Amino acid sequence: MPPPISAAEIADEALVEGSSLWKDAWSRLRKNRLAVGSLFTFIFIVLFCIVGPWISPWEANTQDLFLGATGPSAQHWFGTDTLGRDLMVRVMYGGRISLLVGLVATLVALSIGVIYGATAGYVGGRTDSAMMRFVDLLYAIPFTIFVILLMVAFGRSLWLMFVAIGAVEWLSMARIVRSGVIGLKKQEFVEAAVSLGYSHRRIILRHLIPNVLGPVIVIATLTVPAVMLLEAFLSFLGLGVQPPDASWGVLINEGQQNMEIYPWLLIWPAAFFATTLFCLNFIGDGLRDALDPKSAKD
Amino acid sequence: MSGAEGSLAVVGDPREDLLVLDDVHTHFDLGRNFLSRESKGVVKAVDGVSLAVKEGEILGLVGESGCGKSTLSRTIIQLIRPTSGRVWFKGHELTAMNDAEVRRERIDFQMIFQDPYASLNPRMTVLDTLAEAVRTRHPDLKGDALRRRVAELLRTVGLNPAHMKRYPHEFSGGQRQRVAIARALAPEPKLIIADEPVSALDVSIQSQILNLLKRLVRELGLTMIFISHDLSVVRYISDRIAVMYLGRIIELGSAEDIIDHPLHLYTKALMSAIPEPNPRAERARERIVLSGDPPSPLDPPSGCNFWPRSPVPHDDRMKQVEPPFEEVLPNHWVAACPFCVSERVKAVEPA
């Protein structure tokens, strides 16, 4: 046996740190200008929506019926809507709700989908078949009818919308994670984990899920815009956010009604919404390339 | 081997040997055709293996690709449960245990896998991988004590402990295989099954890893089953050799006996395929060339399963009746088919 090793020696030796996969991925992502630019734009929009209303002198729901709809001016940079409300503050408030829906619903979808998919893939056999047929079943329910049923049963609320959207979006996540886990399960490091006597829980959480996280993160960044679109769609139908509250979807709906007379009511929220969607898509693409270990390490 | 009260197993004694297998079968049912309900067949990957491994030895297991070596290794550690037959480890019958009990036994037998690129979790540092494995034996070990143990393990397998915070992709194939060996050693097992541990490595690295394994078995008092299709590698490392053909062990004996005095025709053919380094001996080398490919384990030949490829024709009886696995010479076992086993033994046998 080799001689015993002192603690100080290990402390010194531990300084030689390797580069992790995540560090590699970050260095690759940084070289992708489009992704980095999108990331900064996205952060700017998020800060604008969160901090903006505190600075602005206007209230989102205070009407000024004598003013009515006016174009962009020194007082109201984005103009006002037909009820004389400052559009910039309303875009900020709408953004808060749209982003919140996007992130919360994606998190819901992510946690359900990853755990469900990983379990199905790991257990395999009949359990897997049964679990995935259940997913197929849910896929078959038309989304709008599902949401309308939920609204009828539980009444309208923002949280119900999170649940409804999350409950639909986790399906694809579960399928992706399952197929990833099935591919990994045959790998020798999983066999090694089994032969070391680790528990199933440990194998799923420590050995399988971290290895499918790459694609999952990418799908998540692409799910956020999809969820925001769904929210806009629901609000457009009058099933989502209720007036006087606003989301980008609601604002776009209002703007579209007055498009010919007051085009700025459509242009501002639509510009913010579209920019955010572009940014998230570019970030997702960038992450996918950066996390792919096969992309050349330079 | 047939004791007074009747031995438990054909080969070996579960009360003395570390690992005993008795008539183990591992079959994979391919299921039924969806429409006609006809069976798609059963793959007989392991088809009646009896084997004993003595404490402290290196048992080499050789055979062609697809003969069931890997399935056998996974059956031994109960990663795949056998269809029938019994497996004893340290006198306990693994095949009689439930999954939870087997899981507790698992720290006593560990595996080293063929592909060092697939056998390490790419998302975990070497420290994490080894610490996790160490804690299967010492669940309370943490902090500096745990790191010290990991450093010690890395030093044992000839790696620099300074690299413990690195990820597998930062190591070469040989270094990764050393990490995999360290992981197998971490739970302080009694038995290590090495499934083709060097066949994915460069020849120059192979000998380093072989020497490392040999040294570890001696220094740590381990027992090892070394699986390979490469005879020269098995010859170098093993104390005893088992020859596998189409899901069965057809010959088992000390390394010298198997290499210098093989009894079974198949073993002879294998041995005659080892190239000689000396050119004169190489030119004089007589080769027994077998015809055809090994038959499919989906539909293995009955009787002595070597008959379709044997240069010596078999009679109808041996095409039907499975030859018994017998100790025809002291500590030298063979599937005693009269056509496959040489004249010399038949002359010795009656004595």
Side-chain angles (χ1 to χ4, degrees):
Chain A
M1 280 308 238
I5 296 153
S6 73
E9 200 182 346
I10 299 171
D12 279 351
E13 286 167 344
L15 291 176
V16 189
E17 284 216 30
S19 75
S20 80
L21 291 175
W22 297 108
K23 279 186 208 155
D24 283 354
W26 173 238
S27 74
R28 277 199 293 266
L29 185 67
R30 256 190 337 210
K31 292 198 184 98
N32 185 339
R33 290 216 187 127
L34 193 59
V36 174
S38 298
L39 189 64
F40 280 114
T41 315
F42 179 65
I43 291 172
F44 172 76
I45 291 175
V46 171
L47 289 178
F48 176 77
C49 292
I50 292 173
V51 181
W54 299 336
I55 299 170
S56 168
W58 308 102
E59 290 288 327
N61 294 335
T62 310
Q63 303 179 357
D64 185 348
L65 294 174
F66 292 109
L67 186 62
T70 57
S73 64
Q75 268 114 42
H76 301 283
W77 291 358
F78 287 12
T80 54
D81 68 3
T82 46
L83 299 175
R85 292 175 293 195
D86 181 73
L87 189 60
M88 188 157 80
V89 180
R90 286 185 68 71
V91 166
M92 290 167 180
Y93 268 107
R96 282 181 176 186
I97 292 192
S98 286
L99 290 168
L100 188 68
V101 171
L103 295 177
V104 172
T106 301
L107 272 182
V108 170
L110 197 71
S111 6
I112 303 178
V114 166
I115 292 180
Y116 192 92
T119 309
Y122 178 70
V123 177
R126 279 165 201 272
T127 319
D128 175 34
S129 298
M131 285 174 86
M132 292 327 281
R133 289 306 78 73
F134 178 64
V135 168
D136 294 345
L137 207 73
L138 290 186
Y139 254 121
I141 300 175
F143 174 68
T144 15
I145 295 179
F146 177 63
V147 174
I148 291 169
L149 282 177
L150 274 180
M151 298 287 170
V152 170
F154 299 105
R156 288 168 179 173
S157 86
L158 199 56
W159 294 103
L160 198 61
M161 195 160 67
F162 294 157
V163 173
I165 296 177
V168 172
E169 289 292 329
W170 71 268
L171 300 173
S172 347
M173 197 78 80
R175 282 188 172 173
I176 288 157
V177 172
R178 171 183 170 267
S179 65
V181 164
I182 286 179
L184 285 173
K185 197 168 66 162
K186 299 277 173 237
Q187 295 241 6
E188 286 175 343
F189 73 85
V190 179
E191 272 192 319
V194 175
S195 69
L196 278 157
Y198 297 155
S199 65
H200 296 313
R201 199 185 128 87
R202 185 180 194 92
I203 291 169
I204 292 179
L205 291 182
R206 293 255 303 174
H207 295 265
L208 290 173
I209 290 183
N211 282 292
V212 291
L213 229 45
V216 165
I217 286 175
V218 176
I219 301 297
T221 56
L222 299 177
T223 304
V224 176
V227 166
M228 289 169 67
L229 276 173
L230 272 181
E231 181 274 327
F233 165 69
L234 287 178
S235 300
F236 187 84
L237 288 181
L239 290 169
V241 178
Q242 299 304 312
D245 287 340
S247 74
W248 285 341
V250 171
L251 291 176
I252 290 170
N253 184 23
E254 286 173 5
Q256 165 265 348
Q257 285 163 12
N258 302 304
M259 184 163 68
E260 281 156 17
I261 324 165
Y262 315 120
W264 62 90
L265 289 186
L266 177 63
I267 290 170
W268 285 114
F272 270 84
F273 190 48
T275 311
T276 307
L277 296 193
F278 272 127
C279 288
L280 286 168
N281 275 300
F282 287 138
I283 294 169
D285 277 355
L287 275 176
R288 186 189 56 213
D289 294 344
L291 285 170
D292 185 0
K294 282 184 209 89
S295 64
K297 192 181 173 183
D298 39 16
Chain B
M1 275 294 147
S2 50
E5 78 275 34
S7 181
L8 287 162
V10 180
V11 181
D13 185 342
R15 287 158 298 194
E16 284 171 22
D17 298 321
L18 186 68
L19 177 81
V20 175
L21 275 72
D22 189 40
D23 199 27
V24 169
H25 296 253
T26 307
H27 295 175
F28 298 105
D29 194 337
L30 297 183
R32 286 174 183 284
N33 187 300
F34 183 69
L35 288 176
S36 68
R37 307 311 295 166
E38 271 172 29
S39 173
K40 289 184 196 160
V42 175
V43 175
K44 296 177 177 171
V46 176
D47 198 21
V49 165
S50 298
L51 200 60
V53 183
K54 298 187 180 78
E55 194 148 7
E57 74 170 347
I58 301 180
L59 176 78
L61 182 64
V62 286
E64 286 166 283
S65 306
C67 74
K69 303 183 298 270
S70 290
T71 308
L72 180 61
S73 67
R74 282 155 180 78
T75 304
I76 291 172
I77 64 172
Q78 307 288 308
L79 224 49
I80 303 169
R81 291 301 198 115
T83 318
S84 68
R86 304 166 83 182
V87 178
W88 289 270
F89 181 70
K90 291 189 300 180
H92 305 299
E93 193 182 338
L94 295 179
T95 37
M97 293 180 187
N98 63 31
D99 288 350
E101 287 167 329
V102 165
R103 210 162 78 196
R104 276 194 289 280
E105 292 286 325
R106 284 230 167 97
I107 54 173
D108 274 339
F109 38 84
Q110 284 302 310
M111 224 168 144
I112 299 167
F113 294 90
Q114 173 173 4
D115 182 359
Y117 289 87
S119 67
L120 297 171
N121 185 342
R123 294 268 190 242
M124 283 166 80
T125 60
V126 168
L127 174 65
D128 289 340
T129 298
L130 295 182
E132 195 180 31
V134 167
R135 292 182 66 170
T136 55
R137 176 71 73 179
H138 306 287
D140 303 325
L141 212 56
K142 47 170 115 40
D144 264 356
L146 187 59
R147 279 169 158 232
R148 209 166 303 151
R149 176 75 187 122
V150 169
E152 202 180 292
L153 278 169
L154 286 174
R155 208 156 275 189
T156 310
V157 298
L159 286 174
N160 184 350
H163 297 161
M164 65 163 83
K165 290 224 171 150
R166 292 197 176 171
Y167 284 82
H169 73 272
E170 296 171 77
F171 290 96
S172 70
Q175 287 174 319
R176 283 167 177 232
Q177 197 59 299
R178 286 173 192 267
V179 175
I181 292 170
R183 178 182 55 192
L185 296 177
E188 297 160 32
K190 301 231 165 12
L191 173 71
I192 287 189
I193 299 179
D195 185 5
E196 307 248 15
V198 297
S199 45
L201 303 175
D202 282 355
V203 177
S204 56
I205 312 288
Q206 282 191 1
S207 60
Q208 294 175 14
I209 298 290
L210 286 176
N211 287 330
L212 172 67
L213 288 173
K214 218 171 171 174
R215 200 193 80 214
L216 290 173
V217 168
R218 217 176 304 123
E219 286 178 2
L220 304 176
L222 298 168
T223 307
M224 185 156 79
I225 299 179
F226 187 95
I227 301 173
S228 182
H229 61 267
D230 187 340
L231 275 166
S232 45
V233 166
V234 170
R235 175 166 69 173
Y236 175 73
I237 200 166
S238 311
D239 301 316
R240 287 200 307 153
I241 294 176
V243 181
M244 196 165 176
Y245 180 75
L246 216 59
R248 290 185 200 153
I249 304 287
I250 53 144
E251 191 160 355
L252 168 67
S254 69
E256 301 85 70
D257 282 352
I258 297 283
I259 285 154
D260 300 331
H261 313 290
L263 298 177
H264 200 283
L265 256 181
Y266 178 68
T267 315
K268 284 181 183 169
L270 277 186
M271 296 305 148
S272 78
I274 307 179
E276 289 280 348
N278 178 346
R280 192 168 298 163
E282 170 68 18
R283 247 172 273 130
R285 183 162 67 100
E286 258 183 72
R287 292 209 56 185
I288 303 172
V289 180
L290 297 179
S291 54
D293 290 325
S296 159
L298 237 179
D299 185 22
S302 56
C304 167
N305 60 7
F306 189 56
W307 71 261
R309 294 177 79 194
S310 169
V312 179
H314 283 48
D315 68 5
D316 287 342
R317 199 179 76 86
M318 284 321 292
K319 287 180 185 174
Q320 302 298 327
V321 184
E322 193 179 319
F325 196 54
E326 284 177 346
E327 190 175 17
V328 293
L329 292 171
N331 294 315
H332 194 153
W333 300 70
V334 71
C337 165
F339 300 98
C340 293
V341 175
S342 68
E343 297 298 316
R344 189 171 65 88
V345 186
K346 272 180 244 164
V348 172
E349 212 171 7

